[in-house]
Amino acid sequence: MEPTPELSPHHAYPDHWEADVVLRDGGTARIRPITTDDAERLVSFYEQVSDESKYYRFFAPYPRLSDRDVHRFTHHDYVDRVGLAVTIGGEFIGTVRFDRINEQGRPASAPADEAEVAFLVQDAHQGRGVASALLEHIAAVARERGIRRFAAEVLPANNKMIKVFRDAGYTQQRSFEDGSVHLTLDLEPTEKSLAVQRGREQRAEARSVQRLLAPGSVAVIGTGRTPGGVGRTVLRNLLAAGFTGRTYAVNRAFDEGLATLDGVPAHRSLGEIDERVDLAVIAVPAHRVPEAVADCGEHGVQGLVVLSAGYAERGSAGRELQRELVRQARSYGMRIIGPNAFGIINTAESVRLNASLAPEPPARGRIGLFTQSGAIGIALLSGLHRRGAGLSSFISAGNRADVSGNDFLQYSFEDQDTDVALLYLESLGNPRKFTRLARRTAAVKPVVVVKGARHSGTNPPGHAVPVSRIPDATVSALMRQAGVIRVDTVTEMVDAGLLLAGQPLPAGPRVAILGNSESLGLLTYDACLAEGLRPRPPRDLTTAASPQDFRDALAEALADGTCDAVIVTAIPWVGENGEAETGDGEVLAAALRGAAAGGPAKPVAVVHVEIGGLAEALAAASSTAAPRTRPTTLAGRPAAAPGAPTGAAPPTATAPTEPGTEAPAETAGTAGTAGTAEPAEPAEPAEPEAAEPPARPGRIPAYPAAERAVRAMAEAVKYAQWRRQAATPGKVPEFLDETTDEPGAAALIDTLLGTAPDPRGRPLTHDEARELLGRYGIPVRPTLPAPDPEAAVAAAARLGYPVALKTTAPHLRHRADLGGVRLDLTDEDALRRAYAEVTELLGKPAELLPVVQSMAPRGVDTVVRASIDAAAGAVLSFGLAGAPSELLGDTAHRLVPATDRDAAELIRSIKAAPVLFGWRGSAPVDTPALEELLLRLSRLVDDHPEVVSVALEPVVVAPQGLTVLGATVRLAPPPPRGDLGPRRLPNY
């Protein structure tokens, strides 16, 4: 018997199942549970479904739903019977439902763990990825309700629906029974299903940004009747840029007789425009924006750029206005840039869009730029313009209510017009997703990031996202792990972007320095050493050097196999009359370009002091360069994203799909089964060719200071090294030997947390921590309590001398400097004396909580930690033990799961790493054992998200082996993993 909603313990409306999603074509839709109030919507939806789709859904002609059908499909208990709908503009465009069944296929309740699933997608919306999105969400709901398998009956002719199931990436079985195809899907996420999900997410979100940046028509809503004002400025910039599409001016205050404004059609509303408008730029007061958004939604506008201010930046009332704006726009399937945005730019010759307030439109180039701040956007555009750099695209997101830096990364990843992505971010709303996207994008083109608000930890105004508690230094380390080039200032971002967009990547850190100033060469040399580069002694060409001398010297340096990059320094020539000559910049620029074009492909940067026209002449060569094809990486082979199998075929724009994911298809239902959907898509996004800087650079970046040029070159060196390593990524070891007991650890964790765990979690005792860590091959040296001298002596006798006496009170833990630790106690007398001294110095035993522990072999004291951050996920950390490391912040971090390469880099990336490798004649310690410990701990917290915090301190690493002397572990109910759930946009 099916339970009624009144009897179900979970019958309350599950609002956490609601989600906004981006569909395959870049539009948005809302997925939500179906309720009893949806009867009319369901009937209207069904009337718009074709007879063929209905036949596939019900296996028979079924022209209309009966009252009983409508009641059944709108009444759910949200446990054993669940229905979800996809809506746009409040109307259904697709539905899915499941009914829990037993082994005989009859209606059932828990603990039955199988359900029959059925889909139906309106024909007009097939091909948009509706059924794929519904399958992701209904599968997540089913798992939450204890359902592990879906069953579906599909007619053999319904190939589209069969492909929806087959391409989802779940483990499945298929059989042919009684004239239909019987499908069973195991709902446990697999590596393939996650790849499919993320591939679809990438294509959808990239397409949503592409629709905004390459519209066929633009309407400026709020265009002023007189020159000036925000709307009129945007209209003027659109026309000045030569936008290739249709442009409209819209203002409800226009006179009825006004036909054109600035040469474009003028209208009082979008309804007066005969053609569909793709993009609307809204420049009206905030209180009039809802009316404008409704007008856009009702007339099929695909996206909005909201320049209007007065939202979350104004306080709580503005935040609610902003949330309502996003909800309203998404209800119509539209994405938003803004509000409080500065605008967008696309310099592609086929588009030429400048829907911004930029006073100086950028030239066409190869740099993509995203910024959350309009003021920073103005500064960056101005700086790039002054230095002759061009842009491929520009987005100033303002309050970043919807389109974010993550969306921009999705777009940049496959944009063939972008070689370098620059981002100014004030927050990482979804750090897990950001690092995943950044790692993939950085594998084919550089990603340079400046993060503002580094110490305030602010989020975009109006956003409800998890707040990261990890320090900024950790954020920086995690970005580096993902291949992101993080710099501190927008000036450094421009400096790095110019070099990366116009020059090849260096093959190593060896730098040749040449120029006509010995002093400037020495400054450059010192800067190189400070940045970790390996400079050769500067070559002084003397102040009498001519442009030809520069050309010859540069050609010689480029041909030298012992250098990987060249920095040219130049000061004005001194004429025969003793006066500086500053006007020969163009001649010198031509000489340098000629040498660079004729030599091996190595990066060249120029440091100059007051040489008129040099920077401009160097920049002129390629600021409008056409798109380039770059088929190879630094290693001379096609680029592959981290994680791609070694030796795999080179990724291309037409890369083969995942196994079993041929092209097209989605469909609609199942009757027990499946109806009609839409064309399916490849599981993974096609990998674009690596955006390798040109083999023959035309643009040579010029810098006014040696430090700036060297810093940019150092970032390029580090990024190039990361790219080479990413081409052959490390492996996450599985530790399948007898030292690892994953099921036993899971059972122990369940026991320790209990049936009703405290949401705040609980710390484990020493013995509990030892037992849990031991399940993963991490032995912790035992300690025995010593509440009095006699107990201490008994403990020492049990453990064996020599021993250590340690206090474990929280205020004294790991504070040997306070006298709470006594080592190398070789006999009973020494132990008794130490016990008396400690208690006399620090307090009573009951306050000190002393313990006795056997001595470990001598070595280097280190600290290994792992913790779960609500936003960033699990983070593995390593450093040396002691106050100096803590005071200097000398700790390295990596995201979990860590690879063998991550573990090796982790212990080598701290400043004090030489201590581990034989510093000042000491014996090197057993770093392989330390790497294994890091990997085992990483595996533990990755396998069991309930382990929210682990600290191993100290870990004494000896020349042979290591010893974990102390461990603290905290368990808690696992935080939600949004990165493993179905696709969804941030909630409002």
Side-chain angles (χ1 to χ4, degrees):
M1 174 181 174
E2 292 181 273
T4 64
E6 291 73 19
L7 299 177
S8 170
H10 301 287
H11 69 274
Y13 179 79
D15 55 8
H16 64 287
W17 293 350
E18 295 182 354
D20 292 312
V21 297
V22 183
L23 301 177
R24 184 184 303 168
D25 62 358
T28 65
R30 186 159 187 80
I31 295 178
R32 65 168 177 82
I34 297 174
T35 72
T36 55
D37 297 329
D38 288 323
E40 291 185 9
R41 294 185 185 89
L42 181 65
V43 171
S44 175
F45 158 73
Y46 193 77
E47 290 174 350
Q48 299 176 65
V49 175
S50 69
D51 290 340
E52 181 185 45
S53 295
K54 293 173 181 175
Y55 184 87
Y56 282 146
R57 169 64 176 84
F58 292 104
F59 288 16
Y62 215 90
R64 65 185 59 83
L65 296 175
S66 67
D67 291 342
R68 181 179 179 183
D69 291 330
V70 173
H71 183 275
R72 176 168 176 254
F73 294 153
T74 57
H75 287 66
H76 305 95
D77 62 9
Y78 303 126
V79 180
D80 302 322
R81 293 179 295 110
V82 173
L84 302 179
V86 181
T87 68
I88 295 179
E91 299 301 319
F92 286 7
I93 66 167
T95 62
V96 64
R97 62 175 281 115
F98 73 67
D99 294 86
R100 195 188 300 259
I101 57 175
N102 58 21
E103 295 179 356
Q104 291 74 42
R106 306 283 299 173
S109 299
D113 61 358
E114 185 170 329
E116 190 176 59
V117 67
F119 295 79
L120 190 61
V121 177
Q122 200 177 97
D123 293 64
H125 292 276
Q126 291 178 19
R128 302 186 65 197
V130 174
S132 298
L134 277 173
L135 179 55
E136 288 180 23
H137 284 262
I138 198 69
V141 169
R143 289 192 295 268
E144 181 181 327
R145 294 310 193 211
I147 292 171
R148 297 291 174 259
R149 292 180 304 283
F150 273 162
E153 301 291 335
V154 189
L155 289 174
N158 192 358
N159 293 319
K160 295 179 181 179
M161 196 65 228
I162 292 173
K163 285 181 66 61
V164 168
F165 289 119
R166 185 178 66 193
D167 295 351
Y170 294 112
T171 302
Q172 59 184 272
Q173 296 177 343
R174 187 188 314 181
S175 61
F176 188 79
E177 302 173 7
D178 300 327
S180 65
V181 178
H182 180 79
L183 294 168
T184 303
L185 274 73
D186 187 334
L187 299 183
E188 185 66 26
T190 66
E191 186 173 330
K192 182 179 177 181
S193 70
L194 288 175
V196 169
Q197 178 178 311
R198 288 171 176 173
R200 289 171 172 167
E201 174 192 63
Q202 189 277 324
R203 288 186 294 275
E205 293 180 357
R207 174 60 179 157
S208 73
V209 176
Q210 194 269 341
R211 296 203 315 178
L212 292 162
L213 287 173
S217 56
V218 177
V220 182
I221 301 176
T223 306
R225 289 169 291 179
T226 58
V230 172
R232 194 67 175 267
T233 298
V234 172
L235 181 63
R236 182 193 66 208
N237 291 343
L238 277 167
L239 298 175
F243 176 54
T244 59
R246 301 173 303 280
T247 306
Y248 304 95
V250 178
N251 191 331
R252 69 177 185 178
F254 283 159
D255 296 333
E256 292 187 9
L258 182 65
T260 63
L261 184 71
D262 290 344
V264 305
H267 300 278
R268 292 164 58 85
S269 70
L270 290 179
E272 297 179 2
I273 302 175
D274 295 334
E275 300 174 297
R276 191 184 74 175
V277 172
D278 295 329
L279 176 69
V281 181
I282 298 179
V284 300
H287 68 274
R288 285 183 47 204
V289 169
E291 175 189 348
V293 172
D295 193 21
C296 292
E298 291 165 5
H299 292 92
V301 173
Q302 294 182 345
L304 307 174
V305 177
V306 181
L307 308 180
S308 311
Y311 287 90
E313 76 278 7
R314 298 288 179 86
S316 58
R319 281 194 293 273
E320 187 51 43
L321 280 178
Q322 181 168 301
R323 289 169 177 159
E324 182 54 40
L325 167 65
V326 175
R327 287 191 288 262
Q328 183 187 16
R330 288 182 180 171
S331 72
Y332 289 109
M334 299 183 292
R335 298 213 69 180
I336 294 177
I337 291 176
N340 196 27
F342 187 70
I344 61 176
I345 298 172
N346 184 352
T347 63
E349 187 62 28
S350 60
V351 182
R352 299 200 300 270
L353 173 73
N354 181 7
S356 78
L357 301 172
E360 297 176 323
R364 186 181 176 202
R366 310 290 302 174
I367 297 174
L369 176 60
F370 177 91
T371 173
Q372 287 180 214
S373 163
I376 296 296
I378 295 172
L380 285 168
L381 288 175
S382 178
L384 290 166
H385 179 80
R386 285 196 311 272
R387 299 176 69 175
L391 291 180
S392 57
S393 58
F394 167 74
I395 294 178
S396 172
N399 291 4
R400 209 206 79 183
D402 182 22
V403 173
S404 68
N406 284 349
D407 295 299
F408 185 73
L409 282 176
Q410 300 277 41
Y411 170 78
S412 299
F413 171 70
E414 62 181 29
D415 180 35
Q416 296 298 313
D417 290 333
T418 298
D419 288 345
V420 181
L422 309 183
L423 296 90
Y424 171 79
L425 305 173
E426 293 177 351
S427 63
L428 299 177
N430 188 338
R432 290 180 198 248
K433 183 175 179 179
F434 176 83
T435 53
R436 171 168 56 86
L437 301 186
R439 176 186 286 270
R440 185 193 58 201
T441 304
V444 294
K445 62 187 67 174
V447 177
V448 187
V449 171
V450 172
K451 187 175 182 301
R454 290 182 294 171
H455 303 293
S456 60
T458 59
N459 284 314
H463 279 237
V465 295
V467 177
S468 178
R469 293 179 174 83
I470 57 179
D472 182 70
T474 306
V475 173
S476 185
L478 299 183
M479 284 190 180
R480 291 287 183 186
Q481 183 186 4
V484 173
I485 301 168
R486 182 176 180 182
V487 294
D488 293 330
T489 68
V490 293
T491 300
E492 291 177 0
M493 180 163 70
V494 172
D495 287 344
L498 291 176
L499 181 69
L500 293 163
Q503 295 291 299
L505 292 176
R510 301 170 300 178
V511 179
I513 303 168
L514 61 92
N516 63 350
S517 167
E518 181 181 12
S519 297
L520 191 53
L522 290 174
L523 286 173
T524 306
Y525 182 87
D526 291 342
C528 285
L529 291 175
E531 292 293 337
L533 300 178
R534 292 164 53 191
R536 296 174 55 187
R539 178 178 177 182
D540 183 14
L541 304 179
T542 77
T543 55
S546 66
Q548 185 61 42
D549 293 330
F550 273 91
R551 177 169 183 159
D552 294 342
L554 178 55
E556 182 180 339
L558 290 172
D560 188 344
T562 64
C563 88
D564 305 306
V566 182
I567 297 178
V568 178
T569 63
I571 63 171
W573 290 266
V574 179
E576 294 180 359
N577 58 3
E579 295 182 0
E581 298 178 3
T582 61
D584 291 334
E586 293 184 6
V587 179
L588 177 58
L592 296 175
R593 288 202 308 270
K602 298 178 181 179
V604 178
V606 174
V607 179
H608 71 99
V609 178
E610 298 298 332
I611 299 183
L614 176 60
E616 294 79 2
L618 289 170
S622 68
S623 61
T624 58
R628 302 184 293 273
T629 299
R630 299 189 177 85
T632 59
T633 66
L634 300 167
R637 58 180 177 269
T646 303
T652 69
T654 56
T657 63
E658 283 282 338
T661 61
E662 305 124 31
E666 264 195 30
T667 306
T670 77
T673 184
T676 56
E678 59 248 31
E681 47 199 325
E684 280 281 20
E687 297 276 351
E689 294 287 359
E692 192 69 20
R696 289 291 179 266
R699 182 186 201 294
I700 300 176
Y703 302 88
E707 295 78 9
R708 289 172 57 179
V710 170
R711 192 171 296 120
M713 189 68 74
E715 295 294 353
V717 168
K718 286 183 281 190
Y719 170 67
Q721 181 183 16
W722 182 89
R723 275 274 288 269
R724 288 190 292 270
Q725 294 175 343
T728 54
K731 298 180 180 179
V732 178
E734 297 187 16
F735 297 114
L736 298 178
D737 56 22
E738 66 280 357
T739 64
T740 303
D741 180 11
E742 181 180 346
L748 177 61
I749 289 170
D750 288 342
T751 300
L752 294 173
L753 281 177
T755 56
D758 186 337
R760 296 170 299 179
R762 55 156 294 199
L764 301 190
T765 66
H766 176 76
D767 290 340
E768 290 170 342
R770 283 189 66 232
E771 183 178 0
L772 177 59
L773 292 168
R775 306 271 183 173
Y776 272 75
I778 304 175
V780 180
R781 183 152 293 209
T783 61
L784 296 177
D788 54 55
E790 300 306 321
V793 170
R798 179 178 173 184
L799 296 172
Y801 289 99
V803 298
L805 177 68
K806 303 191 294 187
T807 58
T808 61
H811 66 289
L812 295 172
R813 186 182 295 270
H814 308 306
R815 292 298 306 276
D817 55 310
L818 297 181
V821 178
R822 301 301 170 94
L823 305 176
D824 285 321
L825 304 176
T826 58
D827 54 35
E828 179 179 339
D829 291 340
L831 177 58
R832 289 184 180 275
R833 284 197 304 272
Y835 198 100
E837 291 170 359
V838 168
T839 53
E840 181 179 355
L841 176 66
L842 299 176
K844 298 178 180 179
E847 300 169 352
L848 304 181
L849 305 177
V851 297
V852 173
Q853 188 175 52
S854 60
M855 288 294 298
R858 293 290 187 178
V860 178
D861 289 1
T862 65
V863 180
V864 174
R865 293 190 177 96
S867 61
I868 305 292
D869 181 78
V875 178
L876 186 66
S877 304
F878 170 76
L880 298 190
S885 292
E886 293 184 21
L887 289 172
L888 297 175
D890 190 18
T891 305
H893 311 274
R894 291 294 186 273
L895 285 175
V896 168
T899 66
D900 51 2
R901 175 173 290 164
D902 290 330
E905 292 175 351
L906 193 62
I907 65 176
R908 289 163 175 82
S909 58
I910 60 173
K911 296 182 179 65
V915 174
L916 302 170
F917 295 92
W919 185 61
R920 288 189 173 181
S922 61
V925 301
D926 192 349
T927 52
L930 184 55
E931 292 170 16
E932 180 179 335
L933 173 68
L934 289 163
L935 291 169
R936 287 185 179 275
L937 182 59
S938 169
R939 178 70 190 272
L940 169 65
V941 297
D942 190 46
D943 287 346
H944 306 284
E946 300 89 348
V947 182
V948 297
S949 175
V950 179
L952 308 180
E953 183 178 5
V955 177
V956 182
V957 191
Q960 294 293 327
L962 57 76
T963 308
V964 181
L965 296 182
T968 58
V969 179
R970 187 174 188 84
L971 301 182
R977 287 287 302 272
D979 58 323
L980 297 181
R983 292 173 280 162
R984 63 170 61 217
L985 292 169
N987 285 330
Y988 282 87

